Amino acid sequence: MISIVDDDETVREAMARLMKSHGYIVRTFDSGPSLLNSEHRSDADFLIADVQMPEMTGLELHDQLVAAGDRTPTVLITAHPNEAMRLRALQVGVRGYLTKPIDEDDLLRLVRAAVEESEANGRRR
């Protein structure tokens, strides 16, 4: 299952349609706290999160999940690329940092690799 966190409903739904069209089960959330407070918090095999959100950035969300012991592979997406943020995100284990509009092939490649790795290691959730 893929969790998508973005405060922009249009982006969230477009990303969900893309993932569903490739056979993935998707849950969407409008903020980091929405995901963190969800009963489905630990169901994800992969997380796609916007960097710039009002309540909590995508990187802050990733950091909170990691601090709680959740190692869900994460890709951050942004309309406002920042090289320092990208480097920090990659240093703390984010799998990718993609700029909007998202290159669908790049995103799908990252998702497939993470899900296949999870399945190969028997960590399917």
Side-chain angles (χ1 to χ4, degrees):
M1 195 264 297
I2 298 175
S3 291
I4 299 170
V5 182
D6 198 309
D7 60 315
D8 183 328
E9 182 177 6
T10 305
V11 172
R12 201 169 54 239
E13 293 307 315
M15 199 77 56
R17 279 191 306 276
L18 172 66
M19 293 296 113
K20 287 176 183 177
S21 75
H22 287 272
Y24 294 104
I25 297 168
V26 176
R27 291 205 189 276
T28 61
F29 303 89
D30 61 0
S31 69
S34 293
L35 171 65
L36 293 173
N37 294 322
S38 168
E39 63 186 41
H40 301 289
R41 170 184 173 163
S42 62
D43 294 347
D45 297 303
F46 198 82
L47 171 64
I48 300 167
D50 189 14
V51 171
Q52 300 287 329
M53 294 184 285
E55 295 180 64
M56 173 186 292
T57 70
L59 188 54
E60 290 169 340
L61 173 60
H62 171 77
D63 289 346
Q64 283 199 22
L65 290 168
V66 169
D70 186 333
R71 303 281 187 232
T72 301
T74 300
V75 165
L76 297 178
I77 59 175
T78 185
H80 308 284
N82 174 302
E83 186 61 17
M85 173 75 78
R86 185 185 75 80
L87 290 173
R88 181 182 179 291
L90 296 174
Q91 288 172 343
V92 298
V94 170
R95 295 287 180 104
Y97 184 92
L98 303 176
T99 302
K100 295 176 186 176
I102 302 300
D103 181 309
E104 293 177 4
D105 291 333
D106 288 344
L107 178 60
L108 289 166
R109 179 181 43 79
L110 290 166
V111 171
R112 283 186 195 114
V115 171
E116 287 171 7
E117 178 183 314
S118 180
E119 289 173 347
N121 292 325
R123 293 187 313 228
R124 185 93 177 133
R125 286 186 273 190

